[in-house]
Amino acid sequence: MAEKKKKTVKVIKIDADKCNGCRACEAVCSAFHATPKYSSTNPARSRIRVVCEPLKNIYLPVYAGEYTPAECSGRDKYVIDGKQYSECDFCRASCPSRDLFKEPDSGLPLKCDMCEDDPDLEEPLCVQVCLSDALVYEEREEEVEEQESPEELEIGLEELAKKYGKQKILDAVSRIYGNREN
Amino acid sequence: MRYAETGFSLEVDLTRGNIERVETDPEWTQLYLGGLGTNAKILWDRVPPEVDPLSPENLLVFGTGLLCGTPATGANRTIVSTFSPQTRLMAYSMMGGFWAPELKFAGYDRVIVRGRSPGLVYLWIHNDKVEIRDAGHLHGKGALETAERIREELKEPKAQVLAIGLAGENRVFYASIEHARSSASRGGIGAVMGSKGLKAIAVRGTKDINMARPAEFFQLCQQVLDYIPKRAQDPVKGVPPILAGIGSPQEMAIHDEKWHTTGFAWGHARRRRKDFWTPERAVEWKQTQDQAVERLISCYNCPMKCGGIVTHPELPTRKYMMKCYSKLTYVMAAMVDDLDFGFRIAGKAQEYGFDGYTTPQVMAFAIELYEAGILTDADMPGFPERNDERFFYLLDKIAHREGIGDVLAEGVYWAARKIGKGAEAYDHNTTKKHEQMPIKLGMLNPIFFLMYATGEKISITQIEGQIPQAPLPKDYREEFVKDWVHLPTGKEARFKKFILEWGDEDKRFPFWPPMDLVCELVDWMETMHYIDDCTGICAGLSSFPIKPPYHIHNLPLFLSHATGIDIDEETLWTISRRVRQLVRAVNVRRGLRRKDERPPQDHWKKRFPELEAQLLDQYYAFKGWNREGIPTRKSLENLKLDFVAEDLIRRGILTGGGGTPSEATATEAAHK
């Protein structure tokens, strides 16, 4: 099933040392994803968030990732360059433990889509507005061994085979469809 | 639906503990935009001139600019307006940071505070939920510390907080309101907040701000963002580094302080030190600054890095945030040559919540009085020998209003009169009872003369901009005017000619340029500031620097596309003029007259009383004011300010014909 495939990997390189904490990325993200586009601004709807703790000199842009139905047990602390971060500061999940990366009205999860648009944008907007270069967009070609992901039907059949045995399934299929034209 | 604004004010009565969300009249947006304009209208309508600034009847308005919360770069200003305990006039100070956009996202264009709380409280605004909360435990706490504590106790790390320190609680007449890396400092508005028993306002908002014409508006925003890096590559030549770029003066990034340290006056605005900036000093100061400034930071949605996170081993507050030129104000006023002192004392002063411009001057004034024997050891027991220690001593005394600090807490003008014994003679650098920039120069500058004399903000940096402060090098002038797109329609040729000629033989101050051109230039600079103060766009991107990204040609488009109200250049100019006229009227009703409009006598060595009087006459006429500086009935009516004219006539300030009853005495005063 595995085969080599060329794939464009889209990456945003985050240089937190360069972040000036202006949150232009949050503003523009929420505007881009408004319907109609740019019709409203609301950083609470943004799919990027800058963790700002000026009096600790902590500035950390974080992108919204996968939704998680349950909070994790991780509550570790990280100390980097003498500054203490919580594990949550780095986490991209839309998670029940916090109000981050959720639509403020509905609570539905938000996820960064790299400003998917038609036609494609040159760079995601957060990168475009970050004149400090804390956010830099990178694209690279990668050859990946891609595992074809099984389709729903296959998953179902495999489960049935596990329960009834392969032969019974084959028999059933030929009995039902064997004599028909389509 | 309302666009760009929320359409609601939050009315808070601290005496009764009442909170109301009140819908605003959409017509006001067309007439006054928002920010300063609307604040001025509210103060005119609701605070009669006899109200004492520190009484419960005074209003304290925290306004947001009309464009705050939109994607417009740098639209983040909070405009705080009230009446000043120091000048007794309208106090009108602003700050950047994050507070104004957050308030808009919470669903309000402004917070109007009246009354006085029986105990110290803070306000917590979380979208539709608004609470007045006890702040007894925050009494005497530093402004930054207060913000941190409130965020912790609310468990809202994203809440934006503005707060006063001890200076505000004790109603020091130059107490500031501090927020993040910004502060609204001028005019003693922190004292008004203290008099209301209000320690802080915390706000968190998660609602939308809507755009009327989204695609068009966004395109404009992108043009501004494209321009900023291009402009950075193309600094204005022939001016000091501090004036070559855009943004608020880049004090946290720039090390070359020759311009400030040799151009501005040291001590109590007394003398220039033209030989101060030596190569050794430059190395030493650079080291100090690099050690102190950990990171350059910005306000909401702005790429300019005008602020810095400052760290100092001796600071009790670990770190604080600084911007602009307060790193130098204490150093220069104290005559301490060490920049490290500036970083050290500014941190403490910010926690107390002090205005970084007025405070050093008041302390330098106190040292002068001590050295002159007017203040003695009896007034200042244990007064140290060294100036740096003296400044810390005085800072503590003033914040606590302890001993002599209680007198000095009212600023140079009032303190001089309370102290007496000849102290009045040392009050040499105030205008309208407020400490001016410590600048002492040679030749009268007619442009700056008018700005100092008539500027309602009473702080000169707040209305200057657009043009260089000195003639440009001759061989650069042509190049400079080539891409100068910022000029108002119809004035292009005239203003370009001014730049091309300025500095030539016989094209020098004070009798050049012609007075009508002086008026037009001053009016242009001021108009641009008034627009910013209504839109909430930072002056650092607009009215303050030379060749900024925002100007009279794109601002009308920003406003039109944001609000859906069609505003062209002429309309915007008219709105700005209306707001200017209203602010003037508010102050005229409180007694402001021509006699008050005088820059410090020693601001320039060479003064020209007759010329100055003519300049004022001409500028007043240009502005639609009579010889007393009072807006005429006609000019008010032309700007749809009939209600102002009626009130001024009813009070006898204007006659029915629009003149002033006391015109003769005014002319006399002007020629004094």
Side-chain angles (χ1 to χ4, degrees):
Chain A
M1 295 261 280
E3 66 175 297
K4 292 268 185 190
K5 261 200 162 178
K6 281 217 170 163
K7 206 175 169 189
T8 306
V9 182
K10 297 177 175 179
V11 185
I12 292 170
K13 197 176 85 187
I14 300 164
D15 186 343
D17 286 339
K18 287 187 180 157
C19 179
N20 59 338
C22 74
R23 297 168 53 208
C25 49
E26 295 182 13
V28 80
C29 176
S30 70
F32 178 82
H33 290 97
T35 318
K37 206 175 280 179
Y38 310 122
S39 62
S40 68
T41 313
N42 180 358
R45 288 187 202 283
S46 169
R47 293 130 198 253
I48 177 170
R49 185 231 162 156
V50 186
V51 178
C52 295
E53 286 183 67
L55 296 185
K56 294 181 187 153
N57 190 12
I58 286 179
Y59 287 84
L60 187 64
V62 186
Y63 284 90
E66 302 297 327
Y67 161 76
T68 178
E71 58 187 285
C72 71
S73 57
R75 291 288 181 271
D76 292 340
K77 304 276 183 198
Y78 289 78
V79 177
I80 305 170
D81 286 340
K83 296 179 252 179
Q84 184 174 296
Y85 299 81
S86 92
E87 194 174 347
C88 285
D89 286 342
F90 297 98
C91 182
R92 297 163 52 109
S94 174
C95 162
S97 72
R98 57 183 187 180
D99 66 357
L100 206 57
F101 303 142
K102 287 174 189 158
E103 279 283 350
D105 304 331
S106 63
L108 289 170
L110 297 165
K111 186 184 168 188
C112 169
D113 60 0
M114 294 271 189
C115 294
E116 202 164 89
D117 201 11
D118 189 18
D120 276 342
L121 298 186
E122 239 171 74
E123 291 179 328
L125 277 176
C126 55
V127 174
Q128 288 186 32
V129 301
C130 185
L131 300 189
S132 303
D133 289 335
L135 309 175
V136 176
Y137 180 67
E138 286 178 357
E139 260 180 22
R140 58 172 189 264
E141 290 269 298
E142 238 176 42
E143 222 166 64
V144 288
E145 217 163 81
E146 187 143 294
Q147 199 82 30
E148 286 279 344
S149 59
E151 305 244 336
E152 215 173 309
L153 175 69
E154 293 171 31
I155 299 170
L157 278 175
E158 269 171 23
E159 290 303 309
L160 287 171
K162 267 186 215 160
K163 192 170 178 184
Y164 299 103
K166 199 168 146 193
Q167 196 51 51
K168 272 199 169 171
I169 305 298
L170 285 173
D171 290 349
V173 171
S174 61
R175 195 165 54 241
I176 300 169
Y177 298 104
N179 301 324
R180 297 191 193 166
E181 281 299 309
N182 46 41
Chain B
M1 181 156 55
R2 301 277 275 263
Y3 294 103
E5 59 181 354
T6 68
F8 289 95
S9 296
L10 193 62
E11 295 268 2
V12 180
D13 182 340
L14 290 171
T15 304
R16 293 188 299 141
N18 189 53
I19 300 168
E20 274 174 68
R21 178 172 172 267
V22 181
E23 191 163 4
T24 53
D25 183 347
E27 207 200 338
W28 282 26
T29 314
Q30 301 196 28
L31 291 171
Y32 312 106
L33 297 180
L36 174 70
T38 318
N39 286 5
K41 167 72 173 152
I42 291 166
L43 291 178
W44 171 272
D45 284 352
R46 292 171 51 181
V47 186
E50 54 281 0
V51 166
D52 183 88
L54 296 180
S55 72
E57 289 74 35
N58 189 8
L59 294 187
L60 180 60
V61 188
F62 298 85
T64 64
L66 180 55
L67 293 176
C68 289
T70 73
T73 294
N76 53 41
R77 306 284 284 176
T78 305
I79 297 99
V80 191
S81 310
T82 185
F83 289 98
S84 162
Q86 186 189 39
T87 65
R88 324 268 313 160
L89 302 171
M90 181 170 162
Y92 149 27
S93 199
M94 300 168 299
M95 61 187 183
F98 300 81
W99 198 87
E102 197 73 30
L103 185 72
K104 293 276 277 272
F105 296 133
Y108 312 96
D109 297 321
R110 68 194 60 79
V111 181
I112 305 168
V113 179
R114 64 181 188 275
R116 174 181 294 157
S117 162
L120 195 64
V121 293
Y122 73 88
L123 197 62
W124 166 223
I125 303 166
H126 188 185
N127 295 329
D128 295 336
K129 191 186 80 181
V130 182
E131 299 173 342
I132 297 170
R133 296 173 65 109
D134 179 53
H137 58 303
L138 298 169
H139 181 75
K141 294 279 180 281
L144 283 178
E145 188 188 349
T146 297
E148 289 290 289
R149 282 188 169 222
I150 287 176
R151 269 192 288 267
E152 270 166 35
E153 73 184 44
L154 295 172
K155 296 190 176 60
E156 281 285 349
K158 284 179 273 186
Q160 299 297 340
V161 185
L162 58 78
I164 53 169
L166 187 60
E169 284 182 53
N170 284 340
R171 304 173 196 188
V172 174
F173 283 11
Y174 37 95
S176 60
I177 296 172
E178 299 281 336
H179 156 66
R181 45 130 292 172
S182 305
S183 60
S185 298
R186 302 296 272 170
I189 54 177
V192 176
M193 192 158 156
S195 78
K196 305 220 164 292
L198 182 61
K199 179 70 177 170
I201 306 180
V203 57
R204 170 76 181 134
T206 60
K207 299 192 203 179
D208 296 349
I209 290 296
N210 298 303
M211 296 291 94
R213 298 167 201 151
E216 292 90 335
F217 187 82
F218 194 72
Q219 205 182 0
L220 289 169
C221 297
Q222 279 187 316
Q223 285 165 8
V224 161
L225 268 190
D226 289 343
Y227 178 83
I228 289 171
K230 275 188 212 141
R231 174 69 177 76
Q233 298 300 314
D234 188 21
V236 175
K237 293 171 197 142
V239 300
I242 214 90
L243 300 175
I246 53 171
S248 168
Q250 299 294 291
E251 290 291 332
M252 295 294 105
I254 286 179
H255 297 95
D256 182 351
E257 284 299 351
K258 185 176 176 198
W259 189 68
H260 276 131
T261 58
T262 65
F264 287 36
W266 290 64
H268 180 219
R270 289 295 184 185
R271 67 185 178 94
R272 287 171 70 180
R273 298 169 73 185
K274 292 185 183 173
D275 54 357
F276 179 80
W277 194 252
T278 60
E280 300 77 53
R281 195 89 71 190
V283 172
E284 190 190 308
W285 277 38
K286 181 176 188 309
Q287 263 174 4
T288 307
Q289 183 162 325
D290 288 346
Q291 245 167 32
V293 179
E294 281 193 352
R295 181 192 294 260
L296 298 177
I297 53 171
S298 305
C299 295
Y300 176 79
N301 194 20
C302 179
M304 303 309 300
K305 288 176 265 195
C306 311
I309 296 176
V310 174
T311 185
H312 198 286
E314 286 171 45
L315 280 178
T317 48
R318 306 156 292 168
K319 295 188 199 320
Y320 67 102
M321 289 158 275
M322 186 188 247
K323 83 273 174 192
C324 204
Y325 131 96
S326 46
K327 77 178 190 197
L328 294 180
T329 53
Y330 291 95
V331 168
M332 290 176 68
M335 296 284 283
V336 171
D337 296 354
D338 184 5
L339 181 60
D340 186 68
F341 164 70
F343 286 120
R344 209 153 36 101
I345 194 164
K348 189 162 194 191
Q350 201 177 84
E351 282 291 11
Y352 278 144
F354 274 119
D355 174 15
Y357 283 72
T358 286
T359 311
Q361 288 198 50
V362 176
M363 298 197 292
F365 159 77
I367 290 177
E368 273 190 347
L369 295 188
Y370 181 79
E371 282 169 355
I374 295 171
L375 289 176
T376 64
D377 286 324
D379 303 303
M380 291 139 108
F383 197 47
E385 285 287 314
R386 286 173 29 192
N387 268 8
D388 56 345
E389 288 169 3
R390 286 172 166 181
F391 259 45
F392 278 106
Y393 173 101
L394 289 166
L395 196 71
D396 288 340
K397 294 276 183 225
I398 296 169
H400 289 92
R401 272 191 179 262
E402 201 178 279
I404 192 67
D406 193 34
V407 178
L408 294 173
E410 306 198 341
V412 170
Y413 177 88
W414 297 108
R417 277 139 194 89
K418 272 195 181 168
I419 293 165
K421 297 184 239 166
E424 294 92 335
Y426 291 80
D427 166 24
H428 75 109
N429 199 41
T430 57
T431 306
K432 296 167 188 164
K433 307 182 182 68
H434 190 63
E435 292 73 12
Q436 271 307 327
M437 295 288 287
I439 299 177
K440 300 295 153 194
L441 301 166
M443 177 54 74
L444 176 86
N445 176 332
I447 297 172
F448 273 73
F449 167 80
L450 282 183
M451 292 196 288
Y452 271 102
T454 65
E456 223 84 26
K457 282 193 233 178
I458 319 177
S459 168
I460 191 61
T461 45
Q462 308 277 322
I463 56 166
E464 66 190 296
Q466 308 294 342
I467 62 169
Q469 298 189 2
L472 291 172
K474 201 168 172 53
D475 59 353
Y476 171 60
R477 294 176 199 163
E478 283 287 352
E479 186 192 330
F480 176 84
V481 299
K482 208 176 289 169
D483 63 348
W484 204 15
V485 298
H486 301 72
L487 304 171
T489 301
K491 311 272 186 197
E492 297 92 340
R494 218 168 173 219
F495 288 2
K496 281 184 182 176
K497 188 160 171 274
F498 165 71
I499 290 295
L500 292 171
E501 292 180 347
W502 187 16
D504 284 354
E505 196 74 28
D506 77 0
K507 297 285 192 294
R508 296 194 183 137
F509 296 154
F511 292 101
W512 185 90
M515 276 190 218
D516 56 337
L517 179 55
V518 173
C519 292
E520 282 180 10
L521 287 167
V522 173
D523 184 58
W524 174 37
M525 289 191 254
E526 190 176 65
T527 297
M528 298 316 294
H529 277 276
Y530 271 77
I531 294 171
D532 288 346
D533 301 344
C534 294
T535 62
I537 287 176
C538 176
L541 289 176
S542 186
S543 48
F544 184 63
I546 306 165
K547 297 187 179 174
Y550 289 103
H551 46 75
I552 192 66
H553 305 293
N554 63 8
L555 282 164
L557 296 173
F558 269 96
L559 287 163
S560 302
H561 294 326
T563 59
I565 304 165
D566 284 312
I567 295 171
D568 59 15
E569 180 180 343
E570 201 189 324
T571 315
L572 185 55
W573 204 276
T574 304
I575 294 172
S576 174
R577 196 153 277 170
R578 178 178 302 122
V579 174
R580 176 71 188 92
Q581 215 72 323
L582 188 54
V583 170
R584 164 85 11 175
V586 167
N587 280 333
V588 158
R589 202 167 63 165
R590 287 185 76 94
L592 176 75
R593 293 295 182 274
R594 181 178 183 129
K595 64 179 166 38
D596 304 304
E597 307 226 284
R598 286 184 306 181
Q601 191 53 42
D602 58 357
H603 190 91
W604 297 279
K605 252 195 206 103
K606 294 182 186 161
R607 297 293 291 263
F608 301 82
E610 270 182 38
L611 173 70
E612 291 171 20
Q614 286 167 8
L615 275 166
L616 265 192
D617 284 344
Q618 188 132 353
Y619 189 63
Y620 280 180
F622 183 92
K623 286 286 207 188
W625 305 341
N626 67 19
R627 288 173 61 85
E628 270 295 283
I630 302 166
T632 61
R633 179 180 189 166
K634 199 174 140 215
S635 76
L636 290 167
E637 286 172 354
N638 285 345
L639 292 165
K640 297 189 186 166
L641 294 170
D642 306 54
F643 62 97
V644 173
E646 279 160 31
D647 186 271
L648 293 181
I649 290 165
R650 194 161 47 79
R651 288 171 190 275
I653 296 170
L654 280 177
T655 61
T660 310
S662 57
E663 207 165 305
T665 46
T667 317
E668 215 171 274
H671 285 89
K672 239 203 318 220

